[in-house]
Amino acid sequence: MGSVASLKTMRASALAIMATRSQDQDLVADVASLHGVDGPASWRGNRGHGYRHDLQTCQAMPSFGWHPWFSYQMYDDVVPEPTYKAPPGSESSTAFLLDAKKAHYQVVLAPSPQDDQFIASLPTPIPLSSFISSTRSKLSSYPYALVGEIGLDRAFRLPENWDSALAAARDDGLTPGGREGRRLSPHRVQMQHQQAVLRAQLRLAGEVGRPVSLHGVDAHGILYDTVSSCWKGHERHILSRRERRNIAPGAEEDDESDDGNENSTGGKPYPPRICLHSYSGPVESLSQWLRPAIPAKIYFSFSTAVNLSRETTRAKFIQVVSALPEDKILVESDLHVAGEEMDAALEDMYRRVCHIKGWGLEEGVRKIGNNFENFVFGETRAAHVVH
């Protein structure tokens, strides 16, 4: 939050700011209240002539979601047997609370934790339904807000509980709830639990017609299976050659404007637009996300922080960007501080993508800017202000 003031001096015209856990849902809303975008027309004006910044403040696209790293902090309260049973007031003794937390965390974490001190250090889980309800309210308050960052992660391990020395040296300028130098425990969040939290948020995004930012680490196959299950039965009908020959001119567009319209304003079980954030999957996996029958529009974003962090990811990055259609590419920083560092990270990724695609820099910035606009607002609303 200490870097929010630098939005006024950034060269970037807009940033999508992602909530990840309980502590920052309201903080993202606070930033949006001060710096939030008013709509596609106001953001287009903020981009300036020729897509160069015109000295107006950088605008914030808020995004509300619960990251898979913190999914263990919720329990699914709509299933017949919830993992956590909240104490009914009079029984809220320390022992009762510990037993209730132990019942939850020993189910949703693997290996199942046995250390009472570790379990006691974990937060009391909240019901998933209450988070979905509060997020729906925030999305209603911010009509251009996204849902994210959400997803699946096989690699993440919970940090160990705080020791006194590390707690005393904690940086008070950081939002509580992060790792902050703590060693990692052996405990991971069970994939079934991550999927339950993800599905609930995907349903919400579909219900209110908002785009989604998806996180996926070491889970590319199961992430696709989980997301694609939301649109099962709603796939687009792709006309065969014979059908195209026998249909009246213009009727093809009518066919594709049914359930599969990416400009949907909601009421469907799947999000209208999905961004695979800092996509690190293999180039071979693109084909499943780019199937014409998918009723959601899929985008892929890239960051220096993730996609260029190792030699193996650099090689995949070049292959993936080379293979992607130009209207599917987005750029991000994946950093937690605004300002010069973020601007530099964005510029670096813009230049790399433009080099791979053979675009001039201004041409590439324009293309990716249009992609971001279409991802956030939807193509119909964005088209009203595209020149």
Side-chain angles (χ1 to χ4, degrees), residues 14 59 70 79 91 120 139 191 194 254 278 291 308:
Q59 295 180 316
F70 308 100
V79 295
E91 299 177 88
L139 293 171
M191 189 53 60
Q194 292 188 44
D254 293 338
S278 289
R291 289 173 48 241
L308 302 179

Side-chain angles (χ1 to χ4, degrees), residues 55-134:
L55 303 182
Q56 296 185 42
T57 185
C58 178
Q59 295 180 316
M61 277 47 169
S63 187
F64 302 103
W66 203 281
H67 197 283
W69 289 358
F70 308 100
S71 55
Y72 64 94
Q73 298 174 2
M74 288 197 282
Y75 68 95
D76 189 349
D77 55 325
V78 299
V79 295
E81 291 292 331
T83 55
Y84 180 80
K85 295 181 180 177
S90 60
E91 299 177 88
S92 57
S93 66
T94 302
F96 190 99
L97 285 171
L98 179 61
D99 287 343
K101 287 168 70 173
K102 187 182 297 185
H104 169 72
Y105 286 119
Q106 287 185 340
V107 170
V108 303
L109 298 180
S112 179
Q114 304 301 318
D115 182 352
D116 284 358
Q117 187 176 4
F118 175 73
I119 294 172
S121 73
L122 299 176
T124 300
I126 67 170
L128 177 56
S129 65
S130 69
F131 169 70
I132 294 298
S133 177
S134 66

Side-chain angles (χ1 to χ4, degrees), residues 3-12 15 34-35 46 53-59 338-339 343:
S3 69
V4 170
S6 63
L7 289 173
K8 296 178 181 179
T9 60
M10 287 187 67
R11 289 177 290 140
L15 300 175
L34 293 173
H35 302 282
N46 198 43
H53 197 270
D54 60 356
L55 303 182
Q56 296 185 42
T57 185
C58 178
Q59 295 180 316
D343 268 337

Side-chain angles (χ1 to χ4, degrees), residues 67-69 71 149 151-157 188-191 194 215-219 222-223:
H67 197 283
W69 289 358
S71 55
E149 181 179 336
L152 302 176
D153 194 312
R154 286 189 189 275
F156 171 75
R157 289 181 288 154
R188 291 179 165 87
V189 187
Q190 293 274 16
M191 189 53 60
Q194 292 188 44
H215 169 103
V217 172
D218 292 347
I222 195 168
L223 180 65

